[in-house]
Amino acid sequence: MTALTISTSSAATLRADAVVIGVTKGDKGPVVTPGAEAVDKAFDGKLATVLETLGASGGEGEVTKLHAPSGLKAPVVLAVGLGEAPAKGDGFGTEALRRAAGSAARALAGSKKGAFALPLGGPEDAGAVAEGALLGAYAFNTYRGNGSGNGKAGAKKKDDKKEPLAEITLLGGKPRDKAFKAAVERAIALAAEVHRARDLVNTPSNDLTPKSFASAAQAAAKEFGLKVEVMDEKALTKGGYGGLMGVGQGSANPPRLVRLAWTHPKAKKTVALVGKGITYDSGGISLKPAGHNETMKCDMSGAAAVFATVVAAARLGLQTNVTGWLALAENMPSGTATRPGDVLSMYGGKTVEVLNTDAEGRLVLADAITRACEEKPDTIVDVATLTGAMVLALGTRTFGIMANDEAYRTAIHEIAEEVGEQSWPMPMPAELRKGMDSPVADIANMGERMGGGLVAGLFLKEFVADGITWAHLDIAGPAFHEGAPYGYTPKGGTGASVRTLVRLVERTAAGDLT
């Protein structure tokens, strides 16, 4: 990952490929933000005028590059827009700083070093700039050619895909201040784990199978001192995990259930996280139509987020016990695949009539949730790219939150807003449960078509033990970004919900959540 350091050097004297400064939208044109005083001085106090001449307005995410004058060591000044100027006396919002830093880092791809002189009002701002810059400095180049240009398949030109910005220097911080240092160190650890989740999501399904995903969890457990348990198809069959086996039985790559745990000797609470890990979703016998298959490698984004969060808890030494359950399977059609109309006996004994094999995520999650409940955690949060209905309801950048406790749902929504992830609390209308009544089983895996995202949440609720606070995050929209990059969000896997889950664990450790 990109290296990051804090420096007390002046933006004018630090050697770098570019110095990054902030600009906001003022009443009479762009306004240079605090942190850029030395750069503005090198322009004889006319930097804002020069930027306006070049067409800059200070709009959010807007990037303007210009040659640096002789008074600066860096040859390039990169001005990034933060949007509307804050009211007098107010600071810049942390999300505005994250996005600006991310846009700047993306614009500096291919460079060795960028000096970030964005406005820092305190440690929280420093953490936001560090986080945004590191998240923006991301690329998934694992499968690209070696640049030989020999015309062979897979070869690419050397400039076809630039490497991320190699080094970030944060100016205006206080390296010896414990709060500043802690904020930046947290940002580094958090960004590394978001990158882990992104890499997993971007890895094609021929390489990321349930078995290889489990192996990655085992390797991380060894590196970060986590406890890990992997249940293979034999153990799952013997244990009665009908959901996982039913979904995975059509594939040559059998399913896995991974338990990954971080424990702290001073922890007073335990949070269980359950992630949907469908490493490829064809829809099974209920095959997806053409045009809906190409991005289905991302259907394990929930498991990737849970995996990354448990590792982040270990890296940060959080005083909360965190158990991650990765429900891993590949949903494929074959002569051995589950058929519509089949009845599965789930872990715990409940039976499910499978009306649609493309509603498979809730089946693997149900097994994992039931198993997680046996350990009696204080709270359970499941995370999944569960329904297209949630995308229709909330769009591609917002995830839905459902819960059996309104206060907990509200808390998660507020946490997501705090860390810069868009979310929305969703209801769980009791009347929709009747649509899942089955004449042959305890419940069907499908209900009413309208409100399908809510129906899926109601299905999962059936497998949560009494007395356990539970929430469900449907990240189907923001988990995989198919458009142009923006802010610190890349094309492809985004690492959606990792930052929300980490903050949730931190808040639990602090005693802010019951």
Side-chain angles (χ1 to χ4, degrees), residues 240-452:
Y241 291 84
L244 275 156
M245 289 306 302
V247 172
Q249 70 187 37
S251 173
N253 297 303
R256 296 286 187 272
L257 178 62
V258 178
R259 180 186 184 273
L260 192 66
W262 157 252
T263 57
H264 193 284
K266 295 183 179 180
K268 296 180 180 180
K269 297 284 186 179
T270 297
V271 177
L273 304 175
V274 180
K276 173 186 173 183
I278 303 299
T279 56
Y280 184 75
D281 183 18
S282 69
I285 297 297
S286 305
L287 193 67
K288 292 180 183 291
H292 290 74
N293 294 285
E294 290 77 9
T295 61
M296 281 300 101
K297 66 179 182 180
C298 80
D299 213 19
M300 37 55 67
S301 297
V306 167
F307 178 12
T309 300
V310 178
V311 177
R315 293 177 71 134
L316 296 170
L318 301 184
Q319 292 187 26
T320 302
N321 295 331
V322 187
T323 305
W325 298 88
L326 315 181
L328 309 174
E330 187 175 69
N331 187 25
M332 297 291 282
S334 74
T336 61
T338 293
R339 297 150 291 225
D342 285 358
V343 175
L344 303 178
S345 181
M346 311 294 284
Y347 182 76
K350 190 167 291 188
T351 57
V352 177
E353 181 184 13
V354 180
L355 298 180
N356 188 327
T357 63
D358 196 23
E360 84 299 328
R362 65 200 69 182
L363 299 175
V364 301
L365 286 173
D367 272 357
I369 288 171
T370 303
R371 176 65 184 86
C373 287
E374 289 183 342
E375 298 187 356
K376 294 181 171 53
D378 295 286
T379 56
I380 291 179
V381 180
D382 76 75
V383 192
T385 48
L386 204 58
T387 65
M390 194 61 67
V391 185
L392 291 173
L394 299 178
T396 59
R397 297 190 183 185
T398 304
F399 64 79
I401 310 170
M402 285 171 265
N404 61 3
D405 183 279
E406 187 174 344
Y408 197 59
R409 183 189 65 181
T410 299
I412 294 175
H413 175 52
E414 290 173 349
I415 287 169
E417 187 176 77
E418 176 190 344
V419 302
E421 295 199 285
Q422 295 175 214
S423 69
W424 196 250
M426 302 294 284
M428 301 189 74
E431 67 272 13
L432 291 178
R433 168 60 182 85
K434 185 172 178 58
M436 289 184 284
D437 286 347
S438 166
V440 297
D442 295 325
I443 191 172
N445 76 329
M446 292 291 288
E448 295 182 27
R449 180 170 177 268
M450 299 302 175

Side-chain angles (χ1 to χ4, degrees), residues 4 92-102 116 118-136 170 180 183-188 190-191 418-420 488 499 503:
L4 188 144
F92 293 88
T94 52
E95 180 60 8
L97 291 171
R98 279 191 207 97
R99 292 183 179 181
F116 284 65
L118 294 173
L120 302 182
E124 191 177 39
D125 290 347
V129 172
E131 184 181 317
L134 290 169
L135 292 178
L170 192 64
F180 269 89
V184 171
E185 287 179 348
R186 178 188 182 277
I188 292 170
L190 187 58
E418 176 190 344
V419 302
Y488 50 77
R499 293 181 296 135
R503 180 69 83 196

